[in-house]
Amino acid sequence: MNELNKETSPYLLQHANNPIYWKAWNESALAKAQRENKLIVVSVGYSACHWCHVMEHESFEDEEVATVMNKSYISIKVDREERPDVDAIYMKAVQLMTRQGGWPMNVVLLPDGRPVWGGTYFKKENWIASLQQLQEMYTTDPNKMEEYAEKLHQGLVIMNPIGNENETALSEPENIKPIVEKWAKSFDDEYGGYARAPKFMMPNNYLFLQRYGYQTKNDSLLNFVDLTLTRMAWGGLFDTLDGGFSRYSVDLRWHVPHFEKMLYDNGQLMSLYAQAYKHTKNSLYKEVLEKTHRFINKELTTSNGAFYSALDADSINEKGKLEEGAFYVWRKEELQKLLGDDFTLFSEVFNINDFGFWEHDTFVLIQNKPLEGIALTANITLETLQQKKQEWEKHLYSIREKREKPRLDDKILTSWNALMLKGYIDCYTALGNQEYLDIALKNALFIINNMWHEDGHLWRTYKNGEAKIDAFLEDYALTADAFLALYQATMEEQWLLYAKQLTDYCLENFYDDKQQFFSFNAITGEKLIAPHFETEDNVIAASNSVLGNVLYTLSILFNNSYYEKVALQMLNNIIPNLDYPSGYSNWLNLWLNLSTENKELAICSTNATEAAKNINSEYLPNVIIAGCGKESRVPFLTNRFIENETTFYVCKNKTCNLPSSSITETLEQLKL
């Protein structure tokens, strides 16, 4: 029978009433397949996935499909957000077999878990035919399937990175220049981002490109980052009425999104826009931050300070059926009625025309011109137009709130919470709003009190008052990174020590000396068909690159040569295999830490928090900041605190300037 009603994942629960005899991924289900010598169907998706819903409706709710699957297969449903390890291994297999991937992902396995066939979305007829053919082959020619499975399995093993036993000198950061020049050839100079669709936002790419442009004084690169951030904020990708970004745009213009709103995107984009605001003081970026906060605080924040995972792409339309984007789109006649005499001007701002048209007589709001030019043409002041825009958005928001809202994925994931935690820290340092820091601190305490077991390990997911599933490397790496940022914002040493504790746990439980990388699963944890080492940055930076950056910072603050050795050995292994820069931007960030422009700053004062607030409001991506409000045992700060004095120490290459008591003088030393 279908066993998914025992689960807490919203995605698995969505399938709990399917006629398929679904099981969750667990030892019992896998053992049953081996005991009964049955092929396994593993179907992977997530609750906000539109095409997952389509395949469920067309196939998994269908009795004919159920008959085929229940008779011959052990069927396992996986929430990729709960089990990113299972998803990653079988996604590699699907990409090897089909040269593409995505969700839903459906894979057929031998009883021992090795894949033999797979793909993404299948129409009902194709799905049934494929399953019947595979079962026939398994019955009549199992050796052929065994042979194919073994070849595919070897391919999965070969895909893992290989450590370098020979010590070689690390390439100089100056060699980043030709990599970025090659990268720039893929840029879209009209709308920002990359000249391809669909368009993903890739926040870690633009964090690096902005930093690199700043450190190399490359105005062309900085202008491209600003173009990208402006166009994303103007696009339908960003919900101008209620804040928050959707997952990606299906077109080149950032216009029509895949409408789900994911916590991990919005946490990283808060960090990106906060850093960009520090650099430019662009009021649009401040607006994006404030609106995104409003959305997260209202829709995805729990009373105990944790953050939910996502809002669905689909919602109930006016005909009572689930439809992608139904909650967000507008019809021209509706807008004319709601806006009255302002409709013509509204249409100029938000393109209720061919440029903003989507499908089925609906429009997705998109801007493509600065308000200054529109105000000039309309013969009104910019302030008047800005006020009107705010009033329009407030009015349409109140109308839209009466619609049926998208479904909520209310599970809580440690790594995604860490990304949003860091997003709020960056917002606080950029804008100085104490509310953002309070939210960050409350979330950090939630992680400590609920997701961190007393024996030292983290949990992956939390729902209904229960934490479960042993955490993966990304949970540790991103939490350590967030705690490090919290320390640098508050100068409260406990957060630095927490970051170090999590990092040390990773070294003990995830590091593979032979591979010279950290495994995604704990070495002593559940064994899948092949180990997984996440090294390629994607919409979230790779857990190894995040931990590499954390290790490098900790190596400086704790004068720890082993931390530095592990971080730079990983980097050294990556550089020769750096095929396309967009997949390695966070590694490039680590590489850039070795440049001659990099500096460290120690802030020692009983009022270190306030001093740090002033320093942190500046764009200083090349500076590692530490501080203390009393005598510290952290090696970088030892013997630097002087009672009743505020002292700043600017350091470079393990050599420090004379201490200064002036923030102005200190900033002069830090800026390029």
Side-chain angles (χ1 to χ4, degrees), residues 203-221:
N204 58 78
N205 283 194
Y206 301 108
L207 282 167
F208 167 75
L209 289 171
Q210 181 174 243
R211 177 186 174 186
Y212 184 78
Y214 168 78
Q215 289 190 213
T216 59
K217 297 181 171 57
N218 186 328
D219 289 338
S220 175
L221 208 54

Side-chain angles (χ1 to χ4, degrees), residues 268-298:
Q268 293 178 97
L269 287 163
M270 283 177 83
S271 290
L272 173 59
Y273 277 89
Q275 295 300 332
Y277 179 77
K278 289 183 187 182
H279 180 245
T280 65
K281 297 298 186 283
N282 186 331
S283 61
L284 174 64
Y285 300 166
K286 182 179 180 182
E287 178 186 340
V288 167
L289 291 171
E290 291 174 341
K291 285 182 174 179
T292 302
H293 154 63
R294 191 171 67 209
F295 162 71
I296 295 295
N297 196 48
K298 180 169 63 73

Side-chain angles (χ1 to χ4, degrees), residues 219-423:
D219 289 338
S220 175
L221 208 54
L222 292 171
N223 291 337
F224 171 72
V225 173
D226 286 331
L227 168 69
T228 300
L229 268 59
T230 297
R231 287 292 192 172
M232 288 197 308
W234 280 358
L237 184 82
F238 180 67
D239 183 0
T240 190
L241 302 187
D242 193 29
F245 287 85
S246 294
R247 195 163 74 93
Y248 65 85
S249 165
V250 301
D251 58 82
L252 288 169
R253 298 182 289 139
W254 306 108
H255 180 208
V256 179
H258 205 22
F259 286 92
E260 66 264 46
K261 290 182 177 180
M262 315 299 295
L263 183 69
Y264 64 80
D265 284 320
N266 284 284
Q268 293 178 97
L269 287 163
M270 283 177 83
S271 290
L272 173 59
Y273 277 89
Q275 295 300 332
Y277 179 77
K278 289 183 187 182
H279 180 245
T280 65
K281 297 298 186 283
N282 186 331
S283 61
L284 174 64
Y285 300 166
K286 182 179 180 182
E287 178 186 340
V288 167
L289 291 171
E290 291 174 341
K291 285 182 174 179
T292 302
H293 154 63
R294 191 171 67 209
F295 162 71
I296 295 295
N297 196 48
K298 180 169 63 73
E299 301 292 349
L300 296 183
T301 303
T302 72
S303 59
N304 56 8
F307 303 114
Y308 294 134
S309 292
L311 286 186
D312 206 328
D314 298 356
S315 52
I316 301 295
N317 63 18
E318 57 194 14
K319 297 178 181 178
K321 295 183 178 180
L322 275 176
E323 179 184 348
E324 184 182 12
F327 180 73
Y328 299 100
V329 301
W330 299 89
R331 286 185 169 79
K332 184 175 181 178
E333 297 76 15
E334 182 182 16
L335 291 170
Q336 287 174 321
K337 182 178 179 181
L338 290 169
L339 296 164
D341 293 341
D342 273 353
F343 174 75
T344 301
L345 186 56
F346 177 91
S347 296
E348 280 295 306
V349 174
F350 288 114
N351 287 283
I352 310 305
N353 50 34
D354 289 345
F355 188 82
F357 182 77
W358 179 28
E359 63 180 13
H360 307 314
D361 296 324
T362 61
F363 293 81
V364 176
L365 304 184
I366 179 174
Q367 295 177 248
N368 66 344
K369 298 185 289 287
L371 293 182
E372 290 85 350
I374 297 174
L376 187 64
T377 302
N379 198 28
I380 59 176
T381 66
L382 175 61
E383 292 74 17
T384 298
L385 182 56
Q386 288 172 331
Q387 182 63 36
K388 279 184 174 292
K389 180 173 177 286
Q390 291 176 8
E391 291 171 357
W392 296 335
E393 290 174 347
K394 185 177 180 181
H395 182 42
L396 293 183
Y397 166 78
S398 66
I399 298 299
R400 200 181 71 177
E401 282 293 285
K402 298 174 184 176
R403 298 176 180 175
E404 190 79 24
K405 284 194 174 185
R407 293 176 293 187
L408 170 70
D409 185 324
D410 61 351
K411 68 176 179 293
I412 294 162
L413 298 172
T414 299
S415 60
W416 294 12
N417 270 248
L419 288 170
M420 183 53 69
L421 165 58
K422 191 170 188 218

Side-chain angles (χ1 to χ4, degrees), residues 37-55:
N37 193 30
K38 281 188 173 182
L39 294 174
I40 302 169
V41 167
V42 171
S43 181
V44 184
Y46 57 100
S47 72
C49 166
H50 169 70
W51 287 102
C52 299
H53 303 327
V54 173
M55 190 164 177

Side-chain angles (χ1 to χ4, degrees), residues 519-553:
S519 172
F520 194 74
N521 296 69
I523 293 170
T524 57
E526 180 183 349
K527 296 292 186 293
L528 301 179
I529 58 166
H532 174 45
F533 296 86
E534 186 182 57
T535 58
E536 201 170 303
D537 298 324
N538 206 300
V539 290
I540 299 176
S543 46
N544 271 284
S545 73
V546 174
L547 203 52
N549 280 274
V550 169
L551 278 163
Y552 184 77
T553 299

Side-chain angles (χ1 to χ4, degrees), residues 9-47:
S9 157
Y11 176 66
L12 298 186
L13 290 172
Q14 285 172 10
H15 292 265
N17 293 319
N18 294 167
I20 313 294
Y21 293 165
W22 290 119
K23 301 179 183 302
W25 179 276
N26 53 48
E27 289 183 7
S28 174
L30 298 172
K32 182 178 175 64
Q34 293 218 36
R35 188 170 62 249
E36 298 181 6
N37 193 30
K38 281 188 173 182
L39 294 174
I40 302 169
V41 167
V42 171
S43 181
V44 184
Y46 57 100
S47 72

Side-chain angles (χ1 to χ4, degrees), residues 584-603:
Y584 298 92
S585 56
N586 207 38
W587 290 110
L588 292 171
N589 186 73
L590 175 58
W591 196 0
L592 197 55
N593 285 341
L594 307 180
S595 70
T596 56
E597 293 89 8
N598 248 54
K599 299 173 183 177
E600 299 87 45
L601 171 66
I603 304 170

Side-chain angles (χ1 to χ4, degrees), residues 561-577:
S561 60
Y562 180 64
Y563 288 172
E564 182 181 28
K565 177 185 176 182
V566 172
L568 298 187
Q569 183 62 63
M570 289 195 295
L571 176 62
N572 210 10
N573 293 340
I574 286 291
I575 289 173
N577 302 303

